[in-house]
Amino acid sequence: MARVVWPESLLGVLEEFPARDRELILEKAGALERFPTMHPVRAKGPFRQQRWFVAGNWLVYYRVVERTVYIRALWPARIPLPQS
C-alpha cells in the first residue's frame, strides 16, 4: 500500500470546495493507496511528468516516489458557470 500525502495548503483549499467535489476528489485520491500508477503522466505543459485524474470539475495532479503519492495541485477542469 502506498501512502498519500497532501500539502497543508491544498487541504485548506479543499475544505472550501462544495461537499460533492471534495468527497469525489478524496475518494479518487484514496484509490491511489492501492493503485498509485493507475493514471497517465502528462507529457507537456506546466504539469509535465505529473500523473493526473479528473474528479468532477477538477484535475488532480500527483507524483509517485517509491511507495508515496504526493498530491501536487488541484486545477479547474472547466470554467464554472456563474450561480444565478
Side-chain angles (χ1 to χ4, degrees):
M1 295 273 290
R3 182 173 67 115
V4 178
V5 177
W6 286 83
E8 289 294 323
S9 58
L10 284 184
L11 288 174
V13 169
L14 196 59
E15 288 178 6
E16 298 178 18
F17 283 10
R20 182 178 148 264
D21 286 342
R22 184 175 53 249
E23 290 167 6
L24 186 56
I25 290 168
L26 292 173
E27 178 184 328
K28 287 192 168 195
L32 298 175
E33 291 178 350
R34 299 201 78 170
F35 307 104
T37 59
M38 68 190 279
H39 297 291
V41 176
R42 284 271 188 228
K44 56 185 177 177
F47 297 106
R48 68 183 165 274
Q49 298 182 357
Q50 306 290 313
R51 293 184 179 277
W52 64 281
F53 62 88
V54 177
N57 295 322
W58 295 92
L59 298 174
V60 180
Y61 290 93
Y62 69 97
R63 178 167 287 218
V64 180
V65 179
E66 295 179 8
R67 301 294 296 157
T68 305
V69 175
Y70 296 95
I71 305 296
R72 303 292 302 239
L74 299 172
W75 196 263
R78 60 183 173 145
I79 306 233
L81 297 174
Q83 301 288 329
S84 48

